[in-house]
Amino acid sequence: MQQSESLLTRAYRFGRALVVGSGATLVDFSIFSTCVRAIGVAPSHARLPALLAGACVQFVGSRGFTFRAQAGKLSRQLKLFFVAELVTLGLNWSVFQLLIRRIDGLPPEAVSFLGTGLVFLVFAYPVRKLVIFKL
């Protein structure tokens, strides 16, 4: 029988995930904001490059820092992460499109942040923990 992890161990791992996610979000937000504010790209078109850059940061940080999964096969993790990120990107895109049409008065960056946070909590973190970087 497998021994259960302590609540403290799980909390530290989730805390590390928040640090990595914050870094990925900073990259995402910077690219998104630059595209929208400095270059004049429509918010719906600026989301994709921002999400892709954030996903790259997320993989490296998740593997090395959050889940400390260097012992796992890199090729397997990359393949699973790629598939999961395609779903995550689709969810982020869809949630953003839904929220941007329904929430008035918030800057697009805030709407983007809200949508990405929801997708992280409901889908991305559980899949990374239970499938990609399985502990």
Side-chain angles (χ1 to χ4, degrees):
M1 180 179 238
Q2 187 176 354
Q3 186 176 356
S4 178
E5 288 183 313
S6 74
L7 183 59
L8 188 59
T9 299
R10 290 183 287 179
Y12 278 141
R13 183 176 42 254
F14 189 75
R16 291 191 307 267
L18 292 177
V19 169
V20 170
S22 295
T25 299
L26 181 61
V27 168
D28 176 313
F29 185 81
S30 298
I31 291 172
F32 182 74
S33 237
T34 299
C35 288
V36 171
R37 304 290 178 197
I39 303 172
V41 175
S44 58
H45 291 97
R47 275 314 283 138
L48 189 59
L51 288 168
L52 290 171
C56 291
V57 171
Q58 192 68 50
F59 178 80
V60 172
S62 290
R63 184 173 198 269
F65 183 64
T66 301
F67 299 103
R68 299 181 176 160
Q70 292 90 348
K73 248 183 129 176
L74 178 62
S75 61
R76 176 190 175 278
Q77 292 169 345
L78 274 170
K79 288 173 192 172
L80 289 172
F81 188 83
F82 180 77
V83 170
E85 278 304 296
L86 286 177
V87 174
T88 301
L89 288 170
L91 287 170
N92 274 316
W93 177 267
S94 299
V95 170
F96 176 76
Q97 294 302 322
L98 177 75
L99 293 176
I100 199 76
R101 290 184 182 106
R102 303 232 191 293
I103 299 176
D104 291 327
L106 277 181
E109 294 89 350
V111 175
S112 172
F113 184 73
L114 175 63
T116 301
L118 290 170
V119 171
F120 173 77
L121 286 173
V122 173
F123 178 76
Y125 181 77
V127 167
R128 289 175 191 144
K129 179 183 174 201
L130 300 172
V131 179
I132 301 167
F133 305 110
K134 190 175 181 180
L135 300 172

